[in-house]
Amino acid sequence: FLMFANLHVTLPVSLLIALGVLLPRAAGAASADQLPDIQHKVQPGDTLEGVAKRYLKDPLQWQVLGELNQVKFPTRLPVGSTLVIPARLVGYQNAVAEYVQGDAQSRSPHIGGGSGWQRLVQGAVLTEGDELKVAPGSFVTLKFADGSSVRINEKSELKLSEMRKNHRTQEQESVVDLNKGGIESQVTPAIEQRRKRKFEIKTPMATTSVRGTVFSVSISDSGEAITAVDHGVVAVAGNAAARETAVKAGRGIAVQN
């Protein structure tokens, strides 16, 4: 089901850069105290060290996590139980609204018990859990902590569902839930082959995993999740099936429910 034509067209990287501005100094970023603790429901096979590697900025603090949750057997966590991971132990990362053209709004669940929709301005700092929506005739460029950037197209709605960094391994993790519209991404590849990075765009139909590339993801009016690749390779997996399909430069793929 690969498709080579009539896909969403991405802008050249040079044009994305031309549309941007120097990264402004932004104030008002939510502190760790304002960000939420994470509630992790234990799954079969989970261990305390494994959970720490997934969430903590320093996974070697798994013993601290165990003490806080009164864990007796780190390798035999009760399935279905809940581990509370304090925000201060999580390596939350920020993104900055590098460019805002037209009308865009953001909503944060972290400040003041959850704010309503606010006008998004250039230089605004966003973090995990924040939501964005972009009006017709508008677009937003976000810059992530690792230098990756995304252009959020008009009529789009999304959530920054995961934005974290393992400070010990320097592994970056960015996951965007796209509910409507489309985004175009330029992802910074890992500097070292052994250094992992996770950048995913999730739609209701499929997940696109990035391996350092320029690509776009959009949701069509007919309910297809369309991925098109300009440079590099992405892996696309339909939410109804575990199998991944590698999509190379110059190609695209459409996934339906």
Side-chain angles (χ1 to χ4, degrees):
F1 59 115
L2 291 177
M3 301 194 308
F4 301 90
N6 299 322
L7 289 176
H8 185 84
V9 178
T10 59
L11 292 176
V13 174
S14 58
L15 182 54
L16 285 176
I17 295 173
L19 289 171
V21 293
L22 290 176
L23 189 63
R25 293 185 66 182
S31 69
D33 291 336
Q34 293 171 305
L35 293 173
D37 294 343
I38 295 175
Q39 310 282 328
H40 174 80
K41 188 174 182 179
V42 175
Q43 304 297 314
D46 276 355
T47 65
L48 195 58
E49 286 190 75
V51 172
K53 288 179 181 178
R54 177 177 177 183
Y55 293 107
L56 301 192
K57 57 187 175 185
D58 183 357
L60 294 183
Q61 290 188 305
W62 64 269
Q63 290 177 314
V64 175
L65 182 62
E67 291 172 1
L68 292 172
N69 286 273
Q70 300 181 337
V71 174
K72 294 182 178 179
F73 304 105
T75 60
R76 300 200 305 274
L77 301 177
V79 175
S81 63
T82 299
L83 293 176
V84 178
I85 298 126
R88 61 182 174 82
L89 298 181
V90 180
Y92 284 118
Q93 294 284 283
N94 292 326
V96 174
E98 188 177 33
Y99 194 88
V100 179
Q101 173 65 48
D103 182 23
Q105 295 181 307
S106 64
R107 181 169 64 182
S108 174
H110 309 312
I111 301 175
S115 64
W117 289 103
Q118 305 288 332
R119 184 176 180 83
L120 183 68
V121 297
Q122 187 171 304
V125 176
L126 304 165
T127 191
E128 183 172 310
D130 289 351
E131 299 174 82
L132 297 175
K133 60 181 180 181
V134 181
S138 306
F139 73 87
V140 172
T141 300
L142 294 185
K143 194 80 165 183
F144 291 81
D146 69 344
S148 299
S149 63
V150 298
R151 170 179 157 136
I152 307 168
N153 294 329
E154 64 171 345
K155 304 177 184 178
S156 295
E157 297 180 5
L158 59 81
K159 179 180 180 180
L160 303 175
S161 58
E162 293 184 23
M163 294 180 62
R164 304 170 194 159
K165 180 180 180 180
N166 182 322
H167 289 242
R168 183 167 293 274
T169 65
Q170 301 301 306
E171 180 178 351
Q172 300 276 348
E173 181 175 304
S174 305
V175 180
V176 177
D177 290 340
L178 178 65
N179 300 313
K180 182 180 179 182
I183 61 178
E184 298 156 1
S185 304
Q186 180 183 355
V187 178
T188 302
I191 297 175
E192 302 173 9
Q193 197 68 18
R194 70 176 183 274
R195 182 179 298 174
K196 297 180 180 179
R197 71 106 55 244
K198 175 182 178 182
F199 194 101
E200 293 182 349
I201 307 296
K202 293 185 175 182
T203 70
M205 291 71 73
T207 297
T208 299
S209 302
V210 183
R211 297 165 184 171
T213 187
V214 180
F215 74 106
S216 68
V217 177
S218 61
I219 300 176
S220 69
D221 292 339
S222 60
E224 293 178 320
I226 301 173
T227 299
V229 182
D230 276 4
H231 303 289
V233 179
V234 302
V236 179
N239 292 340
R243 185 175 67 88
E244 286 188 345
T245 298
V247 184
K248 298 181 180 180
R251 298 188 176 186
I253 189 170
V255 181
Q256 294 180 317
N257 274 329

